[in-house]
Amino acid sequence: MNHKRIHPVDLLSDKSADLCILDVRTAAEVQAAGLPGCLHIPLHELTPERLQAEIEKSGKSDSCVYLLCQGGKRAEMAADQLHGKVDMELCIIEGGMNAVKQSNIEIAKSGRKVISLERQVRIVAGLLALTGVVLGTWYAPGFYALAGLVGAGLTFAGLTDICPMGMLIAKAPWNKAA
């Protein structure tokens, strides 16, 4: 689905504008580094009702909501998830926080080091595949199925943009705000 996109420099050049930016990263990622004044709803908790409630609570304008994540993929998933269910215009911030940081835009940092959700998924998938191969070689060949399952999951995630492992990891205690 094609959604409107904007580069962070273009969006944030007018510092006086009252923008409604929704950060859909995990709480830990937002706490480590985020744009000041953003609304925050992790992607796995995002619903049209929750978004409307957060906008009303913040007093921000709901004519356009700018979606932000680490690299842009989760923002796109959020736009797909909300498309046709909300009255407001949805716009994806191109490149997400990675582009914000590269553009030297002022961000709030806590100093806490957090591994992005994408990296966490790659680490867990790699460890599971490695474990399957090691156990399949030295313990029982049935463990090769674990590596195959991880490969099938990654293929499914790549084809559908739906990553069950990512959704599960996003709910882990270390991804909650400290």
Side-chain angles (χ1 to χ4, degrees):
M1 197 171 303
N2 284 336
H3 299 285
K4 184 178 171 189
R5 296 174 186 280
I6 189 166
H7 192 274
V9 171
D10 298 331
L11 176 65
L12 301 170
S13 61
D14 181 10
K15 293 183 186 278
S16 64
D18 182 30
L19 301 171
C20 184
I21 300 173
L22 173 64
D23 195 329
V24 296
R25 297 176 300 152
T26 64
E29 288 174 300
V30 172
Q31 194 175 47
L35 287 174
C38 287
L39 301 178
H40 173 245
I41 304 173
L43 180 62
H44 65 277
E45 296 176 9
L46 181 61
T47 63
E49 297 80 20
R50 171 106 188 260
L51 174 60
Q52 194 61 49
E54 291 290 329
I55 290 172
E56 287 173 14
K57 193 166 71 177
S58 71
K60 293 185 178 283
S61 165
D62 65 353
S63 60
C64 184
V65 175
Y66 297 94
L67 300 165
L68 175 70
C69 67
Q70 191 65 40
K73 199 66 180 168
R74 282 181 276 174
E76 190 170 321
M77 292 171 69
D80 289 344
Q81 196 171 313
L82 295 171
H83 182 75
K85 298 175 184 166
V86 293
D87 294 333
M88 61 218 52
E89 182 180 8
L90 301 170
C91 184
I92 296 168
I93 299 177
E94 281 182 327
M97 281 301 292
N98 294 336
V100 169
K101 289 176 186 173
Q102 289 173 349
S103 302
N104 294 322
I105 294 171
E106 185 179 336
I107 58 175
K109 291 182 180 177
S110 71
R112 182 177 172 207
K113 296 285 182 189
V114 174
I115 298 174
S116 72
L117 188 58
E118 289 84 6
R119 279 189 60 207
Q120 291 180 47
V121 168
R122 288 186 296 218
I123 290 168
V124 171
L127 286 174
L128 286 173
L130 182 64
T131 301
V133 169
V134 168
L135 291 176
T137 302
W138 287 311
Y139 187 68
F143 282 104
Y144 287 125
L146 181 61
L149 187 65
V150 170
L154 291 173
T155 303
F156 175 79
L159 293 174
T160 64
D161 268 345
I162 297 169
C163 182
M165 184 185 294
M167 291 180 208
L168 189 66
I169 291 173
K171 295 177 183 175
W174 61 84
N175 284 321
K176 307 278 186 217

